[in-house]
Amino acid sequence: MNDKKIERPTTEEKSLNFLQQIIKEDLENGRHNAILTRFPPEPNGYLHIGHAKSICLNFGLAQQFGGKTNLRFDDTNPVKEDTEYVESIKEDIQWLGFQWVSEHYASDYFEQLYDWAVVLIRKGLAYVDDQTQEKIRKNRGTVTQPGVDSPYRNRSVEENLDLFQRMRAGEFEEGAKVLRAKIDMAHPNMMLRDPIMYRIIHAHHHRTGDQWCIYPMYDYAHGQSDSLEQITHSICTLEFDIHRPLYDWFIENLEIFPSHQYEFARLNLTYTVMSKRKLLELVKEGFVSGWDDPRMPTICGLRRRGYTPRSIRTFCERVGVAKRDNTIDVGLLEYCIREDLNTTAPRVFAVLDPLKIIITNYPEGKTEEIETENNPENEASGKRKIPFCRELYIERNDFEIVPPKNYFRLAPEKEVRLKGAYIIKCDDYATDDNGNVTEVYCTYYPETKSGMPDANRKVKGTLHWVSNHNPLDIEVRLYDRLFLNEDPAAEENYIEALNPDSLKTLTHCKAEPSLAQAKAGDTFQFQRLGYFCVDADSAPEKLIFNRIVPLKDTWGKVNREG
Ligand code: ATP
Ligand code: MG
């Protein structure tokens, strides 16, 4: 996506989205005095940018309307869940800048959910089914064909109560029995064809241990948990709209607090995958270095890459709230981090592929200090001094022996300005046996520095540079998109769509001495190169920088041409 095409929100976009409208009306007409939302992650993986959308929405709506937000772990599947994930989820939400009022676990409600299941059995609205889950699936029918009643559908209340209690007591093998709601096997909405409420799983739960061997299904646990917490607006993604009648059915028949479910379009992003199963596979198979690999769309990956919480919040706001599924260009996310760092990140000099320049008319052994602004976009950021001397480094690709047309960088007999310092002219160069340039010899014009008589002399090219006076040797990791295709999840095998060049490690880069103090997480603009962030692997003696984004989006262009 071209930066220029992304515009600031128009007045229309600033008007209320459909969820804001609903909440505003609910408060105005007294349906609710205050709103309570929740963010309900399943602790079976790390959060990703799609979850960030849901977090910003749930917490954002509550903030906007003076309400509150709960954090609820939807931990109803012991096989896939873990405390490691619980901790990371909390850390990520807080890092994004949000705080829940109370922390809950669906597993805390297991006893209440069990009691309510008994209520439904007593009302003749639930029964124990001995059919296998596969058989149940088969007998559900199709959209055009009604389902087939289970032979166990008309068990007496007493028998159901007895069997359900024995399911809980651990008398049966996994898969031997399930508890189903008794609704309508011919209902046009397949969700209402006697959905499963409980299945038997003999597994250790990360919080309830071995206390339970029956676990509630999402549809039975979720709405009831909402109701227990008196959630007013239960916001979820679009694929749950067909679940809503079931959500309402349980609440109505249990006669409990009437939480309501609202659906919005999930966030999809180009050039990545977002399903937790796929992300887990990328980690397990070693295609990335971990959940926090800077190429991952996870919150911890984005954080390590150098994304700021504010840039992610801005992104989520610009994406808006849609009722139809769509895919957002990752270019918008990149635009948001550039925009944020433009005002906050100090400008510094670093050279990724160094070529040595010798200024033959500059005195040997002399060093002078050049004063330069830390960030021209932000006066308060002040100025700093960088050393200048006879030897310095420029980018190898900023010099050509035989320059192409309209090449405004350095070449024999050509002049360029060294950014913030002098104009230099190339007189000569040396090569090795293979014809590679090893050194470039230049002269400088002492009167062309800022504050000198010729300071304003115009030359077409300006280059960044690092002087050979105490330069830092740094490692730079250039990250590119993890996948080559816009929609890798649509591929038969998304692994084949991985970008083989998504990480390039450069180990011989040079940077100005002021960076010696940089700490993990600090962000900078390397002049002319992009925004970079100190990586967690960094050590004082060997700084490592991640490229967050280049200054301009060249990806589309390079890949179209190339
Ligand atoms: P899985 O990948 O295992 O299906 P999930 O994406 O549904 O998991 P949950 O932990 O159940 O993950 O999600 C927590 C909340 O985040 C849910 O309310 C879910 O609707 C929301 N959410 C998940 N993915 C997205 C997304 N891409 N866009 C917006 N909201 C999302
Ligand atoms: Mg889910």
Side-chain angles (χ1 to χ4, degrees):
M1 183 182 291
N2 189 320
D3 281 1
K4 273 180 248 138
K5 279 194 227 139
I6 304 165
E7 281 163 14
R8 284 159 195 288
T10 61
T11 17
E12 197 187 343
E13 280 162 336
K14 274 187 192 153
S15 67
L16 298 188
N17 64 46
F18 79 98
L19 289 169
Q20 292 168 325
Q21 251 153 25
I22 290 169
I23 293 173
K24 185 166 167 266
E25 278 165 29
D26 285 350
L27 289 170
E28 277 171 4
N29 67 23
R31 186 165 172 209
H32 298 292
N33 295 323
I35 70 155
L36 182 61
T37 59
R38 89 284 173 265
F39 175 63
E42 182 177 355
N44 64 350
Y46 284 70
L47 297 183
H48 53 58
I49 183 79
H51 295 116
K53 172 71 218 175
S54 173
I55 292 169
C56 290
L57 188 58
N58 279 294
F59 283 89
L61 285 169
Q63 276 174 0
Q64 186 184 357
F65 292 97
K68 291 174 178 157
T69 305
N70 283 354
L71 170 60
R72 180 190 328 129
F73 290 99
D74 201 353
D75 56 348
T76 53
N77 185 351
V79 186
K80 291 189 185 159
E81 296 158 4
D82 198 7
T83 0
E84 171 196 351
Y85 300 128
V86 169
E87 293 312 314
S88 77
I89 287 170
K90 291 203 269 188
E91 182 188 352
D92 288 349
I93 299 171
Q94 285 172 325
W95 178 77
L96 276 174
F98 299 106
Q99 185 57 55
W100 50 93
V101 285
S102 52
E103 176 180 330
H104 298 281
Y105 293 80
S107 57
D108 288 343
Y109 307 140
F110 282 171
E111 195 66 50
Q112 176 66 77
L113 293 172
Y114 180 86
D115 290 346
W116 278 341
V118 169
V119 169
L120 292 178
I121 294 174
R122 284 192 202 284
K123 284 187 165 185
L125 295 175
Y127 62 98
V128 173
D129 194 345
D130 298 2
Q131 295 182 109
T132 60
Q133 292 204 32
E134 209 201 314
K135 191 84 196 257
I136 292 174
R137 210 173 302 126
K138 254 197 202 144
N139 285 345
R140 267 203 336 161
T142 63
V143 204
T144 48
Q145 263 188 330
V148 179
D149 281 5
S150 162
Y152 306 97
R153 196 170 195 261
N154 293 317
R155 273 178 163 149
S156 68
V157 168
E158 286 66 35
E159 192 183 358
N160 281 320
L161 286 174
D162 174 60
L163 288 173
F164 188 48
Q165 188 276 322
R166 286 164 57 195
M167 277 169 67
R168 175 183 182 164
E171 283 189 30
F172 307 113
E173 297 291 297
E174 275 187 32
K177 289 183 169 33
V178 294
L179 184 74
R180 297 176 74 178
K182 192 171 178 177
I183 307 179
D184 179 357
M185 286 305 288
H187 201 286
N189 180 340
M190 305 271 292
M191 289 286 155
L192 295 178
R193 294 186 187 174
D194 292 9
I196 296 175
M197 292 169 61
Y198 273 93
R199 74 269 202 230
I200 298 170
I201 304 178
H202 290 282
H204 190 83
H205 186 280
H206 71 105
R207 292 189 84 242
T208 57
D210 298 318
Q211 207 183 328
W212 293 87
C213 61
I214 55 171
Y215 289 92
M217 302 294 287
Y218 170 89
D219 284 309
Y220 179 58
H222 200 89
Q224 286 37 260
S225 303
D226 283 343
S227 181
L228 274 166
E229 293 170 23
Q230 309 212 341
I231 300 297
T232 55
H233 298 80
S234 175
I235 297 159
C236 62
T237 43
L238 225 47
E239 65 273 22
F240 287 96
D241 69 340
I242 51 167
H243 297 243
R244 187 171 3 98
L246 182 54
Y247 182 102
D248 292 340
W249 186 92
F250 282 125
I251 284 182
E252 260 166 50
N253 285 289
L254 289 167
E255 300 171 61
I256 54 180
F257 180 86
S259 295
H260 281 277
Q261 177 187 300
Y262 303 89
E263 306 89 20
F264 75 103
R266 68 191 293 120
L267 170 68
N268 300 304
L269 204 58
T270 54
Y271 298 104
T272 193
V273 293
M274 220 110 83
S275 114
K276 279 190 248 179
R277 184 181 61 75
K278 294 198 172 98
L279 294 176
L280 181 64
E281 189 173 42
L282 291 175
V283 173
K284 285 218 165 131
E285 301 298 319
F287 292 112
V288 294
S289 63
W291 285 98
D292 70 344
D293 185 298
R295 290 164 292 181
M296 290 281 271
T298 49
I299 312 261
C300 54
L302 292 168
R303 173 164 66 230
R304 182 162 175 190
R305 175 82 167 255
Y307 275 84
T308 59
R310 184 167 62 178
S311 65
I312 296 176
R313 291 196 305 263
T314 306
F315 168 74
C316 290
E317 196 173 310
R318 291 209 176 132
V319 163
V321 183
K323 274 193 184 177
R324 242 196 279 147
D325 277 319
N326 58 355
T327 300
I328 304 295
D329 193 320
V330 68
L332 178 61
L333 182 62
E334 295 168 351
Y335 174 84
C336 291
I337 187 62
R338 277 192 203 104
E339 183 186 50
D340 190 17
L341 293 180
N342 184 36
T343 53
T344 58
R347 274 54 173 164
V348 292
F349 288 94
V351 172
L352 302 189
D353 186 9
L355 172 63
K356 190 180 267 184
I357 302 277
I358 295 172
I359 302 175
T360 50
N361 62 338
Y362 196 91
E364 260 177 81
K366 177 180 168 179
T367 308
E368 68 180 293
E369 299 211 293
I370 306 262
E371 193 172 57
T372 178
E373 280 177 303
N374 284 326
N375 186 345
E377 300 290 324
N378 176 6
E379 244 178 71
S381 67
K383 295 185 174 179
R384 72 180 185 295
K385 289 184 173 141
I386 47 174
F388 186 91
C389 63
R390 184 181 155 91
E391 282 187 12
L392 38 90
Y393 299 98
I394 64 167
E395 297 290 346
R396 188 160 284 278
N397 68 6
D398 278 340
F399 176 78
E400 288 287 346
I401 300 173
V402 185
K405 224 176 139 214
N406 292 331
Y407 184 83
F408 298 126
R409 295 175 262 168
L410 198 61
E413 302 303 316
K414 296 264 181 177
E415 293 180 350
V416 293
R417 179 176 286 281
L418 294 174
K419 196 165 172 58
Y422 302 97
I423 292 175
I424 57 168
K425 175 168 171 252
C426 171
D427 305 314
D428 202 0
Y429 58 90
T431 55
D432 64 14
D433 295 346
N434 301 319
N436 297 317
V437 180
T438 50
E439 281 180 353
V440 177
Y441 307 103
C442 299
T443 41
Y444 86 118
Y445 302 97
E447 306 277 272
T448 53
K449 194 170 87 160
S450 158
M452 303 286 223
D454 278 349
N456 294 328
R457 177 142 81 82
K458 292 276 176 278
V459 282
K460 284 207 166 136
T462 300
L463 307 184
H464 63 280
W465 51 277
V466 168
S467 82
N468 205 11
H469 182 85
N470 298 333
L472 299 176
D473 288 309
I474 63 167
E475 175 176 319
V476 170
R477 296 175 181 171
L478 297 180
Y479 292 103
D480 203 341
R481 291 168 185 179
L482 189 51
F483 290 93
L484 290 168
N485 300 7
E486 274 199 20
D487 186 6
E491 296 295 308
E492 207 171 300
N493 180 359
Y494 73 101
I495 295 290
E496 281 170 16
L498 278 166
N499 177 2
D501 297 321
S502 61
L503 168 59
K504 278 197 198 112
T505 304
L506 308 176
T507 50
H508 293 96
C509 313
K510 301 278 182 189
E512 64 169 80
S514 77
L515 281 174
Q517 311 306 324
K519 298 182 305 299
D522 287 353
T523 50
F524 299 92
Q525 185 193 95
F526 288 1
Q527 296 267 8
R528 291 181 67 225
L529 296 174
Y531 291 101
F532 293 75
C533 172
V534 182
D535 188 75
D537 282 350
S538 215
E541 61 284 0
K542 182 77 182 189
L543 288 170
I544 301 174
F545 288 85
N546 296 321
R547 183 174 68 190
I548 311 168
V549 274
L551 284 184
K552 291 229 169 64
D553 179 6
T554 51
W555 204 89
K557 201 169 150 236
V558 170
N559 280 271
R560 265 195 304 278
E561 287 170 357

